Amino acid sequence: RVAGREGFQLLDPFFGGRRIGYEELRDRLRAFYAAGGGPAGTNLQRALPQALQTTSSLGILTRILGNLLAVYRERESHEQALATVELILVLSPDIAEHIRIRGLLYEQLECFSSALTDFQRYLMLAPAADPAAEVREHLQHLERVTTTLH
């Protein structure tokens, strides 16, 4: 959704920014969630308000980078994933989940000191989040590894 001369417009970013109507958006979202096999009605009620929000340039860029990050992680392209998450953190430096992901990437690339720093920061930002217990395990492992290396 973007502001235009005639008010707000819905644009399809996947087809050259073509204007679409509310009904088409709703139908696309319904088909998307139905294809995933999940409860389409519940997801649609949650997704529709988000799809109708105006998106800033920062939001668009963050979404693109998030999509790239997912692709690179799926392909296990750790260096490219790390470069991408670094860009995301330049835009939004205090998002705990991206700090955790960067820590995991550093760990996979054997940059243990940087991984330790990120995992510690993650726990400061999100000590009660679901992945916190797993991050604590990574932290303990890395502390043992770095102690052995010194």
Side-chain angles (χ1 to χ4, degrees):
R1 180 176 134 168
V2 296
R5 290 185 204 132
E6 302 155 12
F8 290 105
Q9 299 174 19
L10 297 174
L11 303 178
D12 184 337
F14 299 105
F15 291 96
R18 176 178 77 76
R19 285 176 67 171
I20 62 172
Y22 174 83
E23 297 297 322
E24 183 178 350
L25 173 64
R26 191 188 68 227
D27 291 345
R28 285 184 184 191
L29 287 171
R30 183 177 289 128
F32 173 77
Y33 285 113
T42 305
N43 290 329
L44 181 62
Q45 292 306 317
R46 240 185 332 202
L48 197 52
Q50 289 177 333
L52 292 173
Q53 290 179 353
T54 302
T55 304
S56 67
S57 298
L58 178 64
I60 293 169
L61 185 55
T62 301
R63 176 103 185 249
I64 291 168
L65 289 170
N67 291 342
L68 281 173
L69 177 60
V71 168
Y72 292 144
R73 290 185 75 200
E74 183 178 305
R75 292 181 181 172
E76 296 185 14
S77 300
H78 303 308
E79 293 87 0
Q80 290 173 309
L82 180 60
T84 304
V85 79
E86 289 280 358
L87 290 172
I88 293 170
L89 286 166
V90 166
L91 299 174
S92 302
D94 293 324
I95 297 179
E97 180 59 13
H98 289 125
I99 293 167
R100 182 185 74 84
I101 290 170
R102 186 174 65 182
L104 292 170
L105 291 166
Y106 276 139
E107 184 177 20
Q108 290 169 332
L109 294 168
E110 298 183 2
C111 300
F112 299 130
S113 177
S114 296
L116 271 168
T117 300
D118 275 348
F119 289 148
Q120 290 166 343
R121 183 155 177 243
Y122 172 83
L123 291 173
M124 286 176 35
L125 292 170
D130 286 341
E134 180 184 332
V135 168
R136 286 184 186 90
E137 289 176 17
H138 283 276
L139 200 55
Q140 290 172 350
H141 170 74
L142 288 172
E143 287 170 343
R144 285 192 302 273
V145 167
T146 55
T147 303
T148 313
L149 293 175
H150 289 75

